[in-house]
Amino acid sequence: MVKEEKEIANRPDNTAFTQQRLPAWQPMLSAGIVIPGFVLIGLAFIGIGVALFVTSRSITVLEIDYTGIEKDSPCYKCSDSDAKNCVCNLVFSIDSLFEGPVFFYYGLSNYFQNYRKYAASRDDEQLSGDLDAFTAPSDSCSPYNYNSNDKPIVPCGAIANSMFNDTFVLYRVVNGAKQLVPLDGKGIAWWTDYNVKFRNPSVTPLKNAFNNTVKPIFWPKPAYQLDTSDPANNGFINQDFLVWMRRAALPDFRKLYRRITDGDYAKGLPAGNYSLTIAYNYPVVSFDGRKKVVFSNVSWMGGKNEFLGIAYLVVGSLCVLMSMVMLIVYAKFKFPEED
Amino acid sequence: AHIGVGISGQEGMQAVLSSDYSFAQFRFLQRLLLVHGRWSYLRMCKFLRYFFYKNFTFTFVHFWFAFFCGFSAQTVYDEWFITLYNLVYTALPVLGMSLFDQDVNDVWSFQQPQLYVPGQLNLYFSKKAFFKCALHSCYSSMVLFFIPYAAMHDTVRGDGKDVADYQSFALLTQTCLLFAVTIQLCLEMSYWTAVNTFFVLGSLVMYFAVTFTMYSNGMFLMSPSAFPFIGTARNSLNQPNIWLTILLTSILCVLPVVTYRFLFIQLCPTINDKIMFKVRQAKASPAPPPRRTRIRRTSSRRSGYAFSHAQGYGDLVTSGRFLRRPALSRSSGLTNAGRTTTGFSPMGRSAGYSPTGRPQNAKVSDVEVTSLQMYRTITDPSL
């Protein structure tokens, strides 16, 4: 009969999908799940927090500010903006063995490497060795892309231009005599930065690639003379340059300068007096910045950071506390079963 | 009115064309309102609340970061993440929730029509609900920024190298954000079909797949300035302190919500909570299905005037005859049709009334007030 077929043709599908009857899991926030869950999370977090806190406590850090603003600071004479090629000497002592491997960082404060225009002021094509970008640096680098004679600057941009150029030499004072502590500058930058992201142009000698370009305005030497003793550390793949170009996220940061791992100091820095000779080149006083050196050792969780351990402990305890509260509320106020 | 409903039938398609919803029988109205309307309201409100939450959280983090980047409008996240966040990473899960979510199934919706009341009272999305959502976003954004900030402050990798750089920080905050909003979505969804679960887990997997691809060597070598984040995922996501920060941040964003909801369910349960609890108990020990006796609708259809496309019953209606009961002594030509529900025929014959029958008289005193049962049935050999 025509009418029946028409009715059947118009009838919608009776599948689980179209009739919204798909099998499903319907979880509910019931007491049996929430309260034990909170207890478990609380206990786990307390455990993690204890581990983190204990580890962080076992890391030693020594920070010395050498900006030289205070009159009694050894670098006071260098903080004057007119002082050129100033060298200052910091003396400090270590009470007990500073366990190795010891990492030597320089730190800057109130320095906004995360400022948007600063952070955009680089040319990644140039830094990956593209010679076309040598003759025509990208506009994102301006005003640090061409100098006053319209010659292209290589490497261009504000980040490269403001590269940190203080140098440090560490001596251990033994019986009045200064013993040089060997500082290792290899492998301080990320492997991917050194091998993939930054590439020297494939021109030998490297100097020829930089014909008709000029060095950044603030640099004392051009890029192909950053480390003339080691071609694997020269040009764009210089480790200090790579560390500087990896811009920091926050206004107070520290960057790895050297590692102390060789010879007598493989186990760490023994107790005693030390003297740090600083070639103070980098001006920070004009913007209220501060400079410091940091000696630190590391562990599986990285450098010393007590926040994470304390945060885990606090959150874990709060969880356990809340689970007690919820248990009390549940026991007293179980909602009535009538409708 | 909120919607217009048309009945499609023999009166022509005008009502159908000008209405929002149309169906063929009046009884479908119950299902439209109590099941589909209710589900639609629920889904829409959950969708709106969650969508505002996830975008406000995403944006407020930049507000906090502004204090630490010299107010230079530097984004906390990778630009590719910002592009793909609403497009790929959080699009399908929200879509899944707003298509499939149900609080109780249709049988229970019928049995408990008081579930419809929250929709009438505008409870699920109002200015108050929006404000609560904004407040929740504010809290989440603070957690999502300040915990990574404090955890990454002056910290380094396990081998002494940099991990507090901008790119690692961006990766950390964006991963924390994605985990936090995904867990929040999991809390909102109350109906986990296979499709939903696939969307949620798939989006997370997609995030990691796309991130690792974009931060890989191959993409960088294709276009160095478009993919500057090379190596970041490899160098920072193998650090335990990064993962511990992600865990802490996501859990801290979500636990207050769970606590708040649980306490509310215990202290002032809504209709929904009570009924979902009942459903749960019924599933545990299924009650026998209620035997509803068929209500014999003997007198609900006063007239069949809407069910004809023949001459129609217009004159019957205007005569008022069907409203008056005939005297019981009438005999000729009338059969007492005891029921009128079965044998429905769009030709209008089932009412026992023939449009070609006796002349319509405006005032026939011998017609009873109530039903059509008193009219003559015509046996039509053509049917």
Side-chain angles (χ1 to χ4, degrees):
Chain A
M1 311 232 293
V2 180
K3 202 165 59 196
E4 259 185 46
E5 280 168 25
K6 235 174 69 170
E7 276 173 14
I8 291 172
N10 285 339
R11 186 177 292 173
D13 299 338
N14 195 14
T15 64
F17 182 75
T18 52
Q19 296 298 322
Q20 302 187 56
R21 281 194 313 258
L22 285 171
W25 175 48
Q26 283 186 284
M28 254 184 73
L29 279 184
S30 65
I33 298 180
V34 172
I35 297 179
F38 265 64
V39 172
L40 272 173
I41 292 179
L43 291 177
F45 273 25
I46 290 180
I48 297 176
V50 166
L52 282 171
F53 190 68
V54 165
T55 313
S56 177
R57 275 286 156 126
S58 69
I59 298 175
T60 347
V61 169
L62 175 62
E63 275 186 27
I64 309 169
D65 185 312
Y66 71 93
T67 322
I69 298 197
E70 304 83 21
K71 284 208 167 51
D72 57 349
S73 161
C75 294
Y76 176 63
K77 58 182 192 327
C78 295
S79 61
D80 188 2
S81 48
D82 294 330
K84 298 256 182 284
N85 297 330
C86 184
V87 175
C88 59
N89 237 326
L90 273 181
V91 174
F92 60 95
S93 70
I94 297 181
D95 298 327
S96 55
L97 173 69
F98 200 116
E99 283 184 28
V102 179
F103 291 86
F104 182 176
Y105 301 89
Y106 61 87
L108 288 164
S109 302
N110 205 31
Y111 195 108
F112 289 80
Q113 269 203 324
N114 55 11
Y115 196 86
R116 190 170 65 90
K117 293 207 110 169
Y118 177 94
S121 180
R122 64 193 283 156
D123 186 352
D124 286 311
E125 313 250 344
Q126 237 184 37
L127 297 169
S128 65
D130 186 357
L131 282 168
D132 296 329
F134 273 47
T135 46
S138 121
D139 286 333
S140 56
C141 282
S142 85
Y144 298 99
N145 46 357
Y146 292 97
N147 72 350
S148 43
N149 297 335
D150 270 344
K151 287 203 129 189
I153 300 179
V154 175
C156 74
I159 311 183
N161 192 32
S162 58
M163 180 168 157
F164 189 76
N165 52 8
D166 283 1
T167 51
F168 308 93
V169 185
L170 182 64
Y171 297 99
R172 182 165 171 230
V173 180
V174 171
N175 299 332
K178 280 191 181 179
Q179 268 182 9
L180 182 67
V181 177
L183 298 175
D184 177 22
K186 289 204 190 16
I188 53 175
W190 285 5
W191 188 93
T192 45
D193 278 356
Y194 183 69
N195 287 342
V196 184
K197 189 169 183 187
F198 291 77
R199 300 265 82 212
N200 277 332
S202 47
V203 172
T204 43
L206 188 57
K207 184 169 188 258
N208 290 349
F210 290 78
N211 284 340
N212 295 328
T213 66
V214 292
K215 64 175 178 53
I217 303 170
F218 289 173
W219 281 23
K221 290 182 286 192
Y224 55 87
Q225 287 179 353
L226 279 173
D227 188 355
T228 40
S229 62
D230 184 0
N233 198 24
N234 202 7
F236 294 148
I237 54 176
N238 175 273
Q239 296 276 345
D240 288 319
F241 179 64
L242 293 180
V243 166
W244 182 256
M245 292 302 281
R246 182 143 288 285
R247 59 190 190 278
L250 302 168
D252 300 332
F253 57 90
R254 60 171 77 150
K255 288 190 180 290
L256 185 56
Y257 181 69
R258 294 287 186 265
R259 285 198 300 257
I260 305 173
T261 49
D262 297 335
D264 298 331
Y265 304 96
K267 284 219 183 58
L269 287 176
N273 292 328
Y274 290 83
S275 155
L276 184 66
T277 305
I278 304 173
Y280 192 117
N281 297 321
Y282 203 70
V284 297
V285 179
S286 57
F287 53 87
D288 287 333
R290 320 263 327 175
K291 293 194 283 188
K292 59 185 186 230
V293 286
V294 181
F295 294 89
S296 168
N297 47 21
V298 294
S299 68
W300 61 269
M301 62 168 266
K304 190 182 188 77
N305 191 313
E306 296 191 339
F307 168 77
L308 215 51
I310 296 178
Y312 264 94
L313 281 172
V314 167
V315 175
S317 341
L318 275 179
C319 276
V320 173
L321 182 70
M322 284 317 294
S323 73
M324 307 277 175
V325 168
M326 290 196 291
L327 188 62
I328 294 174
V329 167
Y330 174 66
K332 287 190 86 175
F333 293 99
K334 247 196 271 212
F335 64 71
E337 322 223 330
E338 84 278 1
D339 203 344
Chain B
H2 291 152
I3 55 168
V5 178
I7 309 288
S8 67
Q10 305 307 314
E11 289 269 291
M13 300 298 279
Q14 247 189 354
V16 168
L17 290 172
S18 60
S19 61
D20 299 317
Y21 297 92
S22 73
F23 38 73
Q25 301 181 24
F26 271 113
R27 65 189 171 97
F28 294 155
L29 188 66
Q30 192 181 16
R31 203 175 168 83
L32 180 74
L33 290 184
L34 295 183
V35 178
H36 296 290
R38 205 176 59 76
W39 283 349
S40 172
Y41 178 67
L42 183 76
R43 287 167 187 164
M44 195 115 72
C45 293
K46 277 196 185 175
F47 167 80
L48 283 172
R49 275 203 319 246
Y50 176 73
F51 207 85
F52 278 123
Y53 166 74
K54 83 172 160 81
N55 279 314
F56 281 170
T57 307
F58 175 78
T59 311
F60 283 166
V61 177
H62 291 101
F63 174 74
W64 303 118
F65 187 56
F67 291 98
F68 297 92
C69 70
F71 298 98
S72 63
Q74 170 70 8
T75 52
V76 174
Y77 311 119
D78 177 14
E79 282 163 7
W80 283 105
F81 179 80
I82 295 179
T83 310
L84 295 175
Y85 177 67
N86 275 321
L87 203 57
V88 174
Y89 303 145
T90 55
L92 283 180
V94 180
L95 198 67
M97 176 178 80
S98 51
L99 288 178
F100 293 108
D101 202 56
Q102 297 172 11
D103 49 353
V104 294
N105 69 3
D106 50 349
V107 173
W108 281 91
S109 305
F110 267 117
Q111 284 181 7
Q112 313 281 352
Q114 61 268 39
L115 282 172
Y116 193 66
V117 173
Q120 293 174 316
L121 298 178
N122 219 9
L123 285 183
Y124 292 158
F125 194 75
S126 52
K127 287 200 265 278
K128 191 166 133 203
F130 179 78
F131 182 68
K132 279 205 294 201
C133 162
L135 212 62
H136 180 212
S137 294
C138 210
Y139 164 76
S140 288
S141 66
M142 285 214 309
V143 167
L144 282 168
F145 176 71
F146 283 106
I147 301 222
Y149 166 78
M152 288 296 112
H153 191 243
D154 276 347
T155 246
V156 292
R157 285 174 49 141
D159 57 2
K161 298 188 196 169
D162 210 355
V163 83
D165 61 300
Y166 169 75
Q167 292 181 342
S168 305
F169 188 73
L171 179 65
L172 172 66
T173 26
Q174 72 198 31
T175 312
C176 287
L177 170 76
L178 207 60
F179 271 92
V181 298
T182 305
I183 298 180
Q184 177 68 27
L185 180 75
C186 297
L187 277 183
E188 299 268 350
M189 287 208 301
S190 57
Y191 196 75
W192 287 72
T193 60
V195 183
N196 277 356
T197 316
F198 174 67
F199 281 170
V200 170
L201 296 176
S203 293
L204 267 183
V205 167
M206 194 65 170
Y207 165 69
F208 283 108
V210 171
T211 302
F212 272 93
T213 307
M214 284 200 306
Y215 296 2
S216 65
N217 295 0
M219 296 301 272
F220 173 75
L221 292 171
M222 277 198 330
S223 169
S225 42
F227 300 102
F229 272 64
I230 173 188
T232 311
R234 277 170 279 172
N235 277 294
S236 60
L237 286 184
N238 56 5
Q239 297 299 306
N241 58 348
I242 296 270
W243 284 106
L244 287 174
T245 311
I246 295 175
L247 178 69
L248 177 68
T249 315
S250 339
I251 300 260
L252 192 56
C253 269
V254 163
L255 283 187
V257 179
V258 175
T259 313
Y260 176 81
R261 285 195 188 174
F262 180 78
L263 287 176
F264 249 77
I265 289 177
Q266 301 301 319
L267 293 174
C268 8
T270 60
I271 287 273
N272 269 52
D273 297 324
K274 292 186 196 158
I275 293 185
M276 282 172 80
F277 185 70
K278 262 183 135 185
V279 171
R280 207 160 215 238
Q281 280 187 323
K283 272 201 197 144
S285 51
R291 308 235 41 224
R292 301 181 74 169
T293 53
R294 275 187 78 90
I295 298 172
R296 296 171 60 82
R297 301 182 189 281
T298 49
S299 58
S300 64
R301 258 200 3 236
R302 297 291 169 142
S303 80
Y305 73 90
F307 299 104
S308 159
H309 72 112
Q311 184 195 328
Y313 295 89
D315 19 11
L316 170 65
V317 172
T318 48
S319 74
R321 283 174 72 191
F322 65 94
L323 290 175
R324 292 171 296 193
R325 228 179 248 292
L328 287 172
S329 57
R330 285 195 61 103
S331 54
S332 68
L334 283 181
T335 52
N336 225 343
R339 85 267 169 296
T340 52
T341 48
T342 56
F344 165 66
S345 152
M347 304 305 280
R349 299 286 200 279
S350 65
Y353 176 73
S354 159
T356 58
R358 4 183 318 178
Q360 314 309 316
N361 245 338
K363 294 185 176 66
V364 174
S365 55
D366 54 355
V367 176
E368 204 189 20
V369 165
T370 49
S371 67
L372 275 178
Q373 301 159 358
M374 308 307 142
Y375 292 97
R376 188 172 60 187
T377 51
I378 303 276
T379 51
D380 193 346
S382 67
L383 272 183

